[in-house]
């Protein structure tokens, strides 16, 4: 017996041997659209009227269970039936309902499964409630059902962290009842259902389970831990409020509290910012230059350089299924690089990103090293990750031009240098582009695809295809010193250095910006990266420095003293052996005071708000220039870059979105106010002035 078999149905039902199999087919991720919700309600209404149905199995077609809400409905008024009604209808079913999960069950998809009485999953499945990543909490009963199944502390971790849970962990927690091997899910689910029928096992509504109540001290510790990790994000704390309601009230009262909290979050600035960031990351790959352009084939790549960056790039490519040949200057260096890559991959096995069998296959068949460039003759793409010197890069690209096959793409991982100048070293400038990875390259999601004056469209398309294969977010960038991210970084670094010269300590700056939402303050980040890196770049740029610039030299003084940050034990902070973080150093404040005296500056008190205002004004102003010059195509390209590569707080949406939120007139007024102290640094971008004059925001420039 088959129901809902009309041509445009997204839910089908088939009854065999007393088991109704309900199948959702809404590609690509079985989003719970209005049509899906409507047909699910209809399907479970039919269960009640079919005497031959003694159990129900919910399955999804394609590569995954449901990944949650339909993003096309994000900005539209919700239509009935709403997801909570669907989940309630499933839970109220008079016969046992089994959710059979493969791929991912995320957000509303997992809440749908929580409405079932039993859950089974393929061994490779993942489950999670990532709503906090959109500034929300689960709004279809997830905050009330999950703690009843797995306990309050485990539920808090799942909801406030937003990360998915592997099937094996879900089984241990009590979230699922059975793990099956891939490919056997439907058969296993029907067998599970028939066993329930034979044994007369009844329904098991989660709402009827008792929720544990944490002892007060444990609850306070949990709240403190979540607040620390949230770093200003409100959604994780709202999840705890919903869990508190689950512990101390009825299921119905908890649902009411969940809905109230969901409504508050949905109307908040944080949700708007996080929704914007989510959608921006889907728009950033839509680049006119490569629309309809097919990428070149990618199978084998080369990586030149076995340092931290080269190792990370190689590991990321290997985990993406590519073959990699890594080139170093000596046999010893090549061996060290091989060991380092293997160590990264072994870490991926421990985190269940790779299986031991996959690791063996990679090391035996897809990865090797060499000391001769001849080993790159068959590479489809070569990524140079050598020392940041134009002379070094010219030499490398000259050799690659002679050795690599026609059509091979030659890419530089340079952070600052001119891709056009590098391309001119070769006889194939159309094949040359920048692929600026961020360290550690096997972890960081951002990849700037730097397009030179002569770079071909299919080479650019291949860069974006590589990013997708590596599960990275690619942003198209034009050629200038530092491209998008590092150019803006250089400008706001000058602004916060100026704040220090006018009276703030480096530690004041770090604390103010951490309270703003950064995971680390900029001076602590410099220590982590190594102060010598920035020092080398400043020395490179010194001959072109404008004499009118107020140059802050205190970081150079630290470098001259051999203080390069964490790796030397001292930088802006002092790092005791084994300590997780550094301690402020009074000697740094003396060095700063001496520089103020040399420049004739009198220190004044500076509020945390002024520090943030300087940081944001400098960032938004330079970003406006970057957009005006075409280095970034749109404001959203800047936002995606700063969110994924530079630690800008995601719940603020990115610097351009945040500037729109506070008002571009405020940003411009701040620039004019700071101009009174440093007219050279604080020059308003023409684009910013034009947008203020017309009453528009950066958002108006996001359509191309």
């Amino acid at each position: 017996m088959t129901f809902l078999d009309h041509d445009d149905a997204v839910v089908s039902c088939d009854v065999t041997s007393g088991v109704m199999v309900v199948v959702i087919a809404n590609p690509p991720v079985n989003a719970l659209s209005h049509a899906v919700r409507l047909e699910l309600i209809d399907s479970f209404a039919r269960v009640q009227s079919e005497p031959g149905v003694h159990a129900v199995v919910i399955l999804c077609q394609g590569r995954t269970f449901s990944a949650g809400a339909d993003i096309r409905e994000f900005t539209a008024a919700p239509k009935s039936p709403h997801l909570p009604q669907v989940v309630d209808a499933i839970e109220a079913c008079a016969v046992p309902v089994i959710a059979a999960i493969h791929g991912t069950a995320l957000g509303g998809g997992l809440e749908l499964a929580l409405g079932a009485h039993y859950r089974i999953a393929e061994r490779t499945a993942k489950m999670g409630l990532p709503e906090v990543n959109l500034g929300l909490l689960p709004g279809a009963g997830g905050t009330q059902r999950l703690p009843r199944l797995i306990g309050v502390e485990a539920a808090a971790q799942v909801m406030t962290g937003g990360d998915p849970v592997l099937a094996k962990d879900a089984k241990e927690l009590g979230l699922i009842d059975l793990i099956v091997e891939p490919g056997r899910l439907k058969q296993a689910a029907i067998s599970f259902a028939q066993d329930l029928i034979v044994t007369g096992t009844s329904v098991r509504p989660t709402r009827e389970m008792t929720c544990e109540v944490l002892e007060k001290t444990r609850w306070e510790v949990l709240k403190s831990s979540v607040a620390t990790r949230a770093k200003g994000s409100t959604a994780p704390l709202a999840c705890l409020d919903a869990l508190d309601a689950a512990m101390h009230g009825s299921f119905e009262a908890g649902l009411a509290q969940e809905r109230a909290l969901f409504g508050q979050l949905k109307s908040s600035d944080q949700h708007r910012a996080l929704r914007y960031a989510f959608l921006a990351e889907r728009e950033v790959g839509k680049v006119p230059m490569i629309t309809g352009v097919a990428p070149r084939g990618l199978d084998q790549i080369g990586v030149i350089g076995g340092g931290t960056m080269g190792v990370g790039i190689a590991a990321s490519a290997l985990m993406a299924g590519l073959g990699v040949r890594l080139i170093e200057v000596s046999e010893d260096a090549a061996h060290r690089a091989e060991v380092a890559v293997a160590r990264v991959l072994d870490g991926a096995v421990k985190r269940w990103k790779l299986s031991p069998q996959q690791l063996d296959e990679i090391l035996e068949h897809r990865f090797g090293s060499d000391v001769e460039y001849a080993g790159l003759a068959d590479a489809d793409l070569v990524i140079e990750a050598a020392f940041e010197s134009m002379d070094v890069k010219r030499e490398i690209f000259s050799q690659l031009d002679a050795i690599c096959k026609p059509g091979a793409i030659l890419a530089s991982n340079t952070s600052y240098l001119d891709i056009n100048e590098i391309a001119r070293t070769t006889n194939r400038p159309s094949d040359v582009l920048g692929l600026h990875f961020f360290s550690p390259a096997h972890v960081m999601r951002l990849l700037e695809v730097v397009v030179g004056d002569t770079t071909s469209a299919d080479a650019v398309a291949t860069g974006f295809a590589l990013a997708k294969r590596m599960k990275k977010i690619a942003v198209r960038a034009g050629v200038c010193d530092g491209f998008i991210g590092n150019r803006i970084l250089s400008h706001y670094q000058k602004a916060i250095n100026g704040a220090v010269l006018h009276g703030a300590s480096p530690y004041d700056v770090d604390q103010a910006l951490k309270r703003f939402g950064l995971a680390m303050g900029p001076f602590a980040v410099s220590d982590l990266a190594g102060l010598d890196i920035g020092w080398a770049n400043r020395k490179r740029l010194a001959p072109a420095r404008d004499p009118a610039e107020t140059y802050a030299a205190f970081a150079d003084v630290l470098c001259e003293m051999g203080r390069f940050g964490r790796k030397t034990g001292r930088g802006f902070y002092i790092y005791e052996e084994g300590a997780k973080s550094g301690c402020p150093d009074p000697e740094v404040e003396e060095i700063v005071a001496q520089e103020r005296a040399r420049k004739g500056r009198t220190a004044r008190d500076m509020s945390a708000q002024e520090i943030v205002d300087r940081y944001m004004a400098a960032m938004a102003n330079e970003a406006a220039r970057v957009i005006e010059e075409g280095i970034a195509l749109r404001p959203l390209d800047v936002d995606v870059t700063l969110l994924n590569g530079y630690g800008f707080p995601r719940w603020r949406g990115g610097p351009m979105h945040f500037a729109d939120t506070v008002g571009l007139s405020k940003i411009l007024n701040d620039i004019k106010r700071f101009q009174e102290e440093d007219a050279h640094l604080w020059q308003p971008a023409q684009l910013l002035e034009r947008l203020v004059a017309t009453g528009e925001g950066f958002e108006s420039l996001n359509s191309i």
Side-chain angles (χ1 to χ4, degrees):
M1 189 185 308
T2 302
F3 306 116
L4 296 175
D5 57 354
H6 51 88
D7 291 342
D8 58 350
V10 287
V11 176
S12 63
C13 302
D14 185 72
V15 180
T16 305
S17 302
V19 179
M20 176 185 279
V21 179
V22 177
V23 181
I24 301 171
N26 186 27
V29 294
N30 294 307
L32 298 171
S33 64
H34 177 248
V36 171
R37 301 193 302 272
L38 199 62
E39 293 182 19
L40 281 173
I41 284 282
D42 187 34
S43 299
F44 277 88
R46 288 172 182 258
V47 173
Q48 315 294 4
S49 62
E50 292 295 329
V53 175
H54 302 294
V56 179
V57 168
I58 303 174
L59 284 163
C60 290
Q61 276 190 2
R63 59 186 172 86
T64 188
F65 197 75
S66 175
D70 189 335
I71 62 171
R72 292 170 297 185
E73 297 181 8
F74 273 13
T75 56
K79 297 179 182 178
S80 181
H82 308 301
L83 185 58
Q85 295 171 273
V86 177
V87 177
D88 287 347
I90 293 171
E91 192 173 50
C93 188
V95 299
V97 181
I98 301 95
I101 301 168
H102 74 294
T104 56
L106 300 175
L110 180 56
E111 289 185 286
L112 188 81
L114 292 176
H117 307 126
Y118 303 90
R119 285 154 295 279
I120 71 172
E122 288 188 349
R123 176 176 48 80
T124 53
K126 297 178 182 179
M127 289 141 269
L129 294 173
E131 284 85 353
V132 290
N133 296 328
L134 287 174
L136 299 171
L137 50 64
T143 67
Q144 304 304 298
R145 291 186 175 92
L146 191 63
R148 285 171 164 80
L149 282 169
I150 69 173
V152 170
E153 288 171 302
Q157 182 174 348
V158 170
M159 293 192 298
T160 65
D163 297 322
V165 178
L166 299 172
K168 69 177 187 67
D169 297 321
K171 177 70 166 59
E172 291 175 5
L173 289 171
L175 179 55
I176 60 176
D177 300 285
L178 178 69
I179 294 177
V180 302
E181 287 303 308
R184 295 190 59 251
L185 186 62
K186 182 177 180 179
Q187 177 188 350
I190 293 173
S191 296
F192 189 96
Q194 289 173 335
D195 287 344
L196 294 178
I197 295 170
V198 169
T199 58
T201 305
S202 64
V203 299
R204 189 182 65 177
T206 306
R207 69 168 62 218
E208 295 179 4
M209 297 179 181
T210 301
C211 184
E212 69 167 332
V213 179
L214 287 189
E215 184 264 331
K216 184 177 180 181
T217 301
R218 285 173 63 193
W219 178 245
E220 292 301 322
V221 169
L222 177 61
K223 287 172 62 178
S224 176
S225 174
V226 170
T228 299
R229 293 197 311 271
K231 296 182 175 67
S233 177
T234 56
L237 301 178
C239 288
L240 295 188
D241 290 339
L243 287 174
D244 188 66
M247 288 192 296
H248 297 109
S250 67
F251 185 84
E252 289 71 22
L255 282 182
Q257 176 71 339
E258 177 188 272
R259 293 309 300 168
L261 291 166
F262 185 88
Q264 292 169 17
L265 291 173
K266 193 172 183 182
S267 62
S268 69
D269 286 342
Q270 288 198 10
H271 168 59
R272 282 188 285 272
L274 287 162
R275 184 181 68 199
Y276 164 82
F278 176 85
L279 295 174
E281 288 175 352
R282 279 145 184 80
E283 287 293 314
V284 74
K286 297 177 182 177
V287 177
M289 180 183 187
I290 62 173
T291 300
V293 176
R296 302 182 194 179
L298 275 181
D299 182 47
Q300 183 76 27
I301 75 165
V303 176
I304 298 176
T308 300
M309 186 62 80
V311 165
I313 293 170
S316 188
L318 290 165
M319 286 189 284
L322 294 163
V324 175
R325 175 69 58 177
L326 188 148
I327 306 298
E328 257 294 358
V329 294
S330 69
E331 295 286 355
D332 284 346
H335 176 70
R336 286 194 300 271
E338 285 189 0
V339 171
V341 170
R343 188 181 303 121
V344 171
L345 296 176
D346 188 57
V349 172
K350 291 175 181 175
R351 295 191 306 277
W352 295 82
K353 303 287 186 182
L354 288 175
S355 69
Q357 294 77 20
Q358 287 173 316
L359 175 59
D360 291 342
E361 187 271 333
I362 287 171
L363 296 180
E364 290 178 19
H365 302 293
R366 289 200 282 115
F367 177 53
S369 66
D370 209 327
V371 295
E372 300 291 340
Y373 283 20
L376 302 177
D378 294 327
D380 301 305
L381 179 147
V382 179
I383 302 170
E384 167 274 313
F387 184 68
E388 194 78 335
S389 158
M390 183 57 79
D391 290 340
V392 170
K393 295 184 191 300
R394 285 197 198 99
E395 173 62 25
I396 290 172
F397 275 77
S398 177
Q399 293 188 56
L400 291 177
D401 187 37
I403 288 168
C404 290
K405 66 184 182 182
I409 293 172
L410 311 183
S412 176
N413 180 57
T414 179
S415 302
Y416 293 95
L417 301 180
D418 189 338
I419 294 297
N420 291 323
E421 186 173 345
I422 293 172
R424 285 192 290 271
T425 306
T426 75
N427 293 309
R428 53 172 97 185
S430 63
D431 292 338
V432 177
L433 78 166
L435 290 177
H436 179 210
F437 291 82
F438 287 70
S439 187
H442 60 286
V443 175
M444 296 292 282
R445 298 177 69 204
L446 181 66
L447 174 61
E448 283 183 308
V449 179
V450 186
V451 181
D453 292 344
T454 56
T455 307
S456 68
D458 63 337
V460 177
T462 307
F464 275 81
L466 176 67
K468 184 176 181 180
R469 191 161 175 178
M470 287 183 168
K471 298 181 180 178
K472 297 189 182 298
I473 297 173
V475 178
R476 175 264 178 210
V479 176
C480 67
D481 200 281
F483 318 128
I484 297 174
N486 280 341
R487 172 171 164 177
I488 295 171
L489 166 65
S490 176
H491 195 73
Y492 70 71
Q493 185 70 53
K494 291 176 182 178
I496 60 176
N497 285 348
V500 171
L501 291 179
H502 283 96
S505 75
Y507 315 114
D508 293 335
V509 170
D510 279 0
Q511 285 303 311
L513 294 177
K514 282 182 68 176
R515 285 194 292 271
F516 178 71
L518 274 67
M520 295 177 67
F523 292 105
V525 169
S526 295
D527 273 1
L528 181 63
L531 297 183
D532 51 325
I533 295 174
W535 190 33
N537 194 51
R538 291 191 296 276
K539 287 190 286 188
R540 176 179 67 86
L541 295 173
R545 187 178 299 135
D546 191 325
E549 178 184 333
T550 301
Y551 181 73
F554 49 79
D556 295 351
V557 174
L558 294 176
C559 291
E560 289 162 2
M561 297 167 66
R563 297 175 53 160
F564 298 145
R566 282 181 180 266
K567 60 188 174 187
T568 60
R570 295 185 81 173
F572 284 101
Y573 293 82
I574 299 172
Y575 300 91
E576 300 293 345
E577 188 172 349
K580 292 183 178 179
S581 59
C583 298
D585 186 349
E587 191 174 350
V588 170
E589 301 212 51
E590 291 176 12
I591 291 168
V592 169
Q594 290 166 6
E595 183 165 3
R596 288 182 189 131
R598 284 194 298 272
K599 288 181 164 58
R601 301 290 172 83
T602 301
R604 64 173 176 81
D605 290 336
M606 186 175 295
S607 69
Q609 185 59 55
E610 182 179 341
I611 291 169
V612 171
D613 287 345
R614 286 173 175 265
Y615 167 80
M616 277 309 312
M619 188 179 293
N621 197 40
E622 190 64 15
R625 292 193 188 97
V626 164
I627 295 162
E628 200 165 28
E629 296 170 18
I631 304 302
L633 289 179
R634 301 151 292 194
L636 68 83
D637 294 75
V638 173
D639 284 332
V640 170
T641 299
L642 272 293
L643 287 171
N644 289 283
Y646 296 84
F648 194 88
R650 190 173 182 85
W651 53 268
R652 294 194 184 276
M656 313 309 275
H657 177 86
F658 181 72
D660 278 350
T661 300
V662 300
L664 297 193
S665 58
K666 171 182 164 42
I667 299 290
L668 182 58
N669 288 337
D670 285 343
I671 291 169
K672 291 178 178 178
R673 174 161 56 98
F674 303 143
Q675 201 172 33
E676 296 174 5
E677 292 180 339
D678 189 339
H680 180 268
L681 178 64
W682 297 102
Q683 299 176 35
Q686 292 181 2
L687 174 60
L688 179 61
E689 291 184 310
R690 187 164 67 249
L691 289 172
V692 171
T694 59
E696 296 175 287
F698 287 122
E699 173 66 28
S700 66
L701 305 176
N702 274 334
S703 297
I704 56 173

